[in-house]
Amino acid sequence: MSDEGQPEPGTLERAVEATLFAAEEPLGVEALCAHLGGLALADVREALALLEARYRNRGVHLVERGGRWHFETAPDLAHLLRREKEQVRRLSRAATEVLAIIAYHEPVSRAEIESIRGVQTSAGTLDVLMEAGWVKPAGRREVPGRPVIYATTPTFLDHFGLASRRDLPGIDELRAAGLLDPVDEAMEAHMRFEPDDESDPQSDGQDDGQDDENLAD
Amino acid sequence: MSDEGQPEPGTLERAVEATLFAAEEPLGVEALCAHLGGLALADVREALALLEARYRNRGVHLVERGGRWHFETAPDLAHLLRREKEQVRRLSRAATEVLAIIAYHEPVSRAEIESIRGVQTSAGTLDVLMEAGWVKPAGRREVPGRPVIYATTPTFLDHFGLASRRDLPGIDELRAAGLLDPVDEAMEAHMRFEPDDESDPQSDGQDDGQDDENLAD
Amino acid sequence: MNAPDEPFMFPPETARADADALHLALDGWEGPLDLLLDLARRQKVDLRQISILALVDQYLTYIERAGTMRLELAADYLVMAAWLAYLKSAMLLPKAEQEDPNPEELALRLQLRLQRLGAMREAAGRLMGRDRIGRDVFLRGAPEGLRTDRKTVWRSDLFSVIQAYGQVKARTAPRIYHVANRPVMTLDSALERVSAMLGVTLEWMEIRDFLPPHASPALKRSALASSFVAALELAKRGRAELDQDGAFAPLRIRRLKEGQAA
């Protein structure tokens, strides 16, 4: 580069620049010459060298690949072309259930998940869990049909703050926390303390006793 | 610009350059900001101004059309590029006139277009302009019959190299001469003063006032 | 503006058409106003100084000579010709005899329309002459393109997972139903009990004394009801008699000897 900075681009340089810019594919020196009306190869080469230098620090570079030239985004700015937009979404109820079943029973096949849940699992549900990175296929079960079996990933443990799967509360603990009560029963237990039922404390005592029996099953 | 010629481009300038080079369509300042991760509008505007100046003498120019920016080859190099490119489809005379009327009078109804041209507009003519993406329906005029009104699009400004509708060739002169006013309005203005003298400056002035009102719509 | 000197009878596109194809000549115009504008332009003066009278003559001459033109195409042109002929006659009459509409006004209106169409025609030409993308300037031939990938980040928490598991287990666990053994005394057992106790003595006994002494309140209520019905049944069979001093007073019961009537 001269002391006076970049000189005005010459006509040929501008012509090469515009041609490569508008070209739909990379052009070799000869194709450029032909396009520009039969110029000397040496002149076009010189123009290419000047342009290459001129664009060296820019957001766009003039590069040669296999003898053909084209403009491309500077490598350090490539990330600008593919921008990722993150969208945070809460896991659906169904997906949460499937995740929980896999976590408690892994490795587990889809049929097994369905038999535990008592409902069919849509294909999308497992996809979501795999997209989230919490579940992965873990081989096949050696039974007829060789179904794929699924297991949780280390990412799952990370996200949910678990050191290992053993940190998941056991069935007994879930029961103690009331998490194994069917919803309607839990509701009843709740309702029992509502004002409507206060009339006969003795009969209440009786009911309570029977409830305890149920829990012990 | 400094005495030592063009300074090294800044990071933002390079990023804007790369983004506009890679974009498949023109981008507005806001779209650029969003794409570059929520920068200040003023910074992006400054980068655009720097880039515009930097490319002014090049074979490729950075231009603003209807608030959106894109790179295109320098117009003086058209002869080099045209030969290999397909010619733009020729518009019929009717389509050309209808396009001009929409551009200079927008928004304008079909009946208004026809009253200027003194002839019915075939359905195909507007279709051709809409297919080219230069014209779009722009609501309805709130008069009896609620006719659809038409206006030009940003693509129109792009294609004809107009920064905005203000750049339409001769639009200021036409407006000053009252030639964008409806005939009825011009008649009234004429009759109010000396009916025989078309060059009455007062009536011209009157036209102007009415035009400004129209523009403010 | 300064169109090359063609015979003005023909629109530019069909300038070389022969006289036999006169009807084709009209295809080149965009309607009568367009034809008028072109004729006016041939007067080579500013549209504002145009002679309307001369223009009318030129138009009428043209239409006359194009006598063979297709009628459906020509209708507009003929309407315009009739109107212009009317305008011409009105303009030639002395001013004093003018009625509404004033021919000068009509002429002005025509002139204004021609000016406006002329302005748009010229504007269209200048617009088409601009540097147009794809003809004069070119966009980047192979842009890389910008893409925004939407990535979903899923969020959940341990409590939701555990709770979901609890609910699945609860929902699908085999359910066991207990039918509570309600504390009741059946009529049969009340009959048996009251009969047995009546057998002990012939004295009046209060019915409450027949109730099981340590029963829960619920069982007591049931036993009272059953015992009362049992007492009625025994009285009906002639084996006991009942006695009560008044409403809600203690109900007493006494055994009847065999054969003794109530």
Side-chain angles (χ1 to χ4, degrees):
Chain A
M1 245 173 263
S2 78
D3 290 341
E4 287 149 59
Q6 298 197 326
E8 292 292 298
T11 311
L12 181 54
E13 189 186 327
R14 292 179 74 238
V16 171
E17 184 180 31
T19 305
L20 285 173
F21 173 86
E24 272 156 17
E25 45 189 33
L27 295 178
V29 177
E30 276 160 34
L32 272 168
C33 285
H35 184 86
L36 295 172
L39 293 163
L41 287 179
D43 291 344
V44 172
R45 283 214 183 84
E46 193 194 325
L48 283 167
L50 282 170
L51 273 176
E52 195 272 329
R54 206 185 272 275
Y55 275 96
R56 200 168 288 152
N57 301 315
R58 313 306 315 262
V60 172
H61 291 176
L62 181 62
V63 293
E64 183 195 354
R65 299 260 185 274
R68 303 196 303 160
W69 294 80
H70 72 273
F71 283 108
E72 65 177 32
T73 308
D76 65 311
L77 296 175
H79 63 278
L80 291 175
L81 305 184
R82 297 277 173 272
R83 232 179 99 71
E84 280 203 347
K85 212 170 199 177
E86 290 196 344
Q87 185 189 11
V88 176
R89 285 178 63 187
R90 206 175 160 75
L91 208 56
S92 72
R93 171 86 193 266
T96 310
E97 283 185 15
V98 172
L99 176 63
I101 291 166
I102 296 174
Y104 274 90
H105 295 262
E106 77 175 42
V108 65
S109 72
R110 183 158 161 170
E112 288 158 357
I113 294 170
E114 289 181 354
S115 95
I116 294 169
R117 277 189 80 210
V119 282
Q120 284 217 334
T121 301
S122 77
T125 308
L126 270 169
D127 289 346
V128 162
L129 295 175
M130 289 196 272
E131 186 191 315
W134 295 336
V135 162
K136 62 172 194 293
R140 291 176 180 277
R141 185 160 332 282
E142 291 305 335
V143 296
R146 302 187 68 240
V148 175
I149 49 181
Y150 298 90
T152 55
T153 63
T155 314
F156 165 77
L157 296 177
D158 277 353
H159 185 92
F160 292 90
L162 295 165
S164 82
R165 276 186 56 244
R166 260 167 271 149
D167 287 357
L168 284 170
I171 300 299
D172 293 340
E173 290 161 276
L174 292 184
R175 185 172 292 132
L179 287 170
L180 286 191
D181 295 343
V183 176
D184 48 359
E185 210 165 281
M187 281 295 283
E188 260 176 44
H190 190 68
M191 295 309 286
R192 213 177 296 138
F193 299 101
E194 300 283 298
D196 274 357
D197 256 275
E198 278 172 0
S199 51
D200 197 343
Q202 268 190 287
S203 94
D204 257 6
Q206 185 107 359
D207 284 354
D208 268 357
Q210 283 180 328
D211 254 275
D212 288 345
E213 265 178 78
N214 276 355
L215 265 189
D217 282 344
Chain B
M1 233 150 270
S2 78
D3 291 342
E4 287 150 61
Q6 299 199 321
E8 293 293 299
T11 312
L12 180 53
E13 191 186 324
R14 290 181 72 237
V16 171
E17 183 180 30
T19 304
L20 284 174
F21 243 81
E24 276 155 348
E25 42 191 42
L27 295 177
V29 177
E30 275 161 34
L32 271 167
C33 285
H35 188 83
L36 294 172
L39 295 163
L41 290 178
D43 292 344
V44 171
R45 284 213 185 85
E46 193 193 324
L48 284 166
L50 284 170
L51 276 173
E52 195 269 329
R54 208 184 269 275
Y55 275 93
R56 202 167 288 155
N57 301 314
R58 314 302 315 265
V60 171
H61 290 175
L62 179 61
V63 294
E64 183 190 3
R65 302 285 180 245
R68 304 187 306 164
W69 294 79
H70 71 260
F71 281 106
E72 63 180 31
T73 56
D76 65 304
L77 299 171
H79 61 286
L80 287 174
L81 303 164
R82 202 175 285 160
R83 77 183 74 145
E84 292 212 345
K85 295 279 176 179
E86 266 176 45
Q87 279 279 339
V88 172
R89 185 156 53 126
R90 260 186 85 83
L91 280 186
S92 71
R93 203 170 116 201
T96 310
E97 267 178 37
V98 170
L99 178 63
I101 291 168
I102 295 174
Y104 284 79
H105 290 82
E106 77 177 42
V108 65
S109 72
R110 188 157 163 163
E112 288 157 358
I113 295 170
E114 292 180 351
S115 96
I116 293 172
R117 298 188 62 226
V119 69
Q120 286 215 335
T121 304
S122 76
T125 307
L126 270 169
D127 288 349
V128 163
L129 296 176
M130 288 199 272
E131 196 188 317
W134 294 338
V135 162
K136 62 169 195 294
R140 292 175 180 277
R141 184 153 343 273
E142 291 305 335
V143 294
R146 302 186 70 239
V148 174
I149 49 182
Y150 298 90
T152 54
T153 63
T155 313
F156 164 77
L157 296 177
D158 270 354
H159 184 88
F160 290 94
L162 298 162
S164 77
R165 275 189 63 241
R166 274 170 230 280
D167 284 359
L168 283 168
I171 192 167
D172 291 337
E173 293 88 331
L174 290 176
R175 187 173 293 131
L179 287 171
L180 299 184
D181 297 337
V183 169
D184 285 339
E185 229 166 80
M187 279 296 284
E188 258 177 50
H190 270 270
M191 302 313 285
R192 210 176 301 143
F193 300 97
E194 289 164 72
D196 284 338
D197 186 3
E198 298 89 353
S199 59
D200 187 338
Q202 264 188 290
S203 99
D204 267 359
Q206 180 87 10
D207 283 355
D208 260 359
Q210 284 178 327
D211 245 280
D212 288 347
E213 268 176 69
N214 280 354
L215 259 194
D217 279 356
Chain C
M1 282 280 241
N2 291 326
D5 275 341
E6 297 154 359
F8 80 79
M9 298 309 294
F10 303 101
E13 283 95 311
T14 53
R16 271 170 296 281
D18 62 347
D20 292 341
L22 261 182
H23 64 270
L24 285 180
L26 286 183
D27 291 344
W29 310 109
E30 294 279 336
L33 203 60
D34 186 33
L35 171 54
L36 271 172
L37 177 61
D38 211 50
L39 293 172
R41 284 264 163 79
R42 289 165 208 275
Q43 292 187 7
K44 297 201 169 139
V45 288
D46 189 304
L47 280 181
R48 284 184 292 183
Q49 263 113 58
I50 194 175
S51 157
I52 291 290
L53 214 48
L55 181 62
V56 169
D57 280 338
Q58 285 166 355
Y59 185 90
L60 294 177
T61 310
Y62 184 93
I63 294 300
E64 241 169 68
R65 288 186 50 185
T68 60
M69 59 198 178
R70 280 180 293 162
L71 268 182
E72 75 274 18
L73 182 69
D76 288 350
Y77 293 85
L78 295 177
V79 169
M80 177 64 90
W83 187 82
L84 288 175
Y86 164 79
L87 176 63
K88 181 182 171 184
S89 62
M91 285 173 83
L92 292 174
L93 282 174
K95 261 197 174 179
E97 297 176 26
Q98 288 309 324
E99 296 175 17
D100 257 5
N102 175 343
E104 308 221 325
E105 233 179 281
L106 294 177
L108 174 60
R109 183 174 285 272
L110 176 60
Q111 200 174 347
L112 290 172
R113 289 189 72 188
L114 288 174
Q115 281 177 30
R116 274 154 186 71
L117 181 59
M120 282 303 105
R121 167 120 348 132
E122 205 178 302
R126 290 171 73 179
L127 197 55
M128 293 302 139
R130 290 186 61 84
D131 291 330
R132 289 166 63 184
I133 288 177
R135 191 186 70 175
D136 307 291
V137 297
F138 297 90
L139 302 178
R140 189 158 176 216
E144 290 96 335
L146 300 174
R147 215 175 72 206
T148 304
D149 295 332
R150 291 194 189 285
K151 192 180 156 202
T152 305
V153 177
W154 293 97
R155 189 172 58 86
S156 186
D157 56 74
L158 188 58
F159 178 74
S160 304
V161 170
I162 294 166
Q163 188 185 44
Y165 188 66
Q167 283 167 356
V168 168
K169 288 310 264 184
R171 192 172 68 220
T172 57
R175 300 198 58 179
I176 298 162
Y177 293 92
H178 292 265
V179 179
N181 220 346
R182 289 179 58 216
V184 294
M185 180 179 287
T186 62
L187 183 58
D188 283 344
S189 59
L191 265 177
E192 210 170 289
R193 191 179 166 87
V194 172
S195 307
M197 291 184 74
L198 278 180
V200 174
T201 170
L202 278 173
E203 296 305 307
W204 287 100
M205 290 177 71
E206 202 178 319
I207 199 157
R208 285 191 186 279
D209 297 338
F210 292 80
L211 303 182
H214 302 297
S216 67
L219 181 57
K220 271 185 184 155
R221 276 201 297 274
S222 168
L224 179 62
S226 302
S227 301
F228 173 64
V229 175
L232 291 175
E233 178 65 25
L234 288 173
K236 191 179 134 200
R237 289 185 197 168
R239 291 178 53 199
E241 56 182 345
L242 301 177
D243 174 71
Q244 191 176 28
D245 291 340
F248 302 111
L251 185 69
R252 289 172 296 158
I253 182 168
R254 185 174 68 172
R255 181 169 68 120
L256 280 181
K257 286 186 189 146
E258 302 289 333
Q260 192 177 343

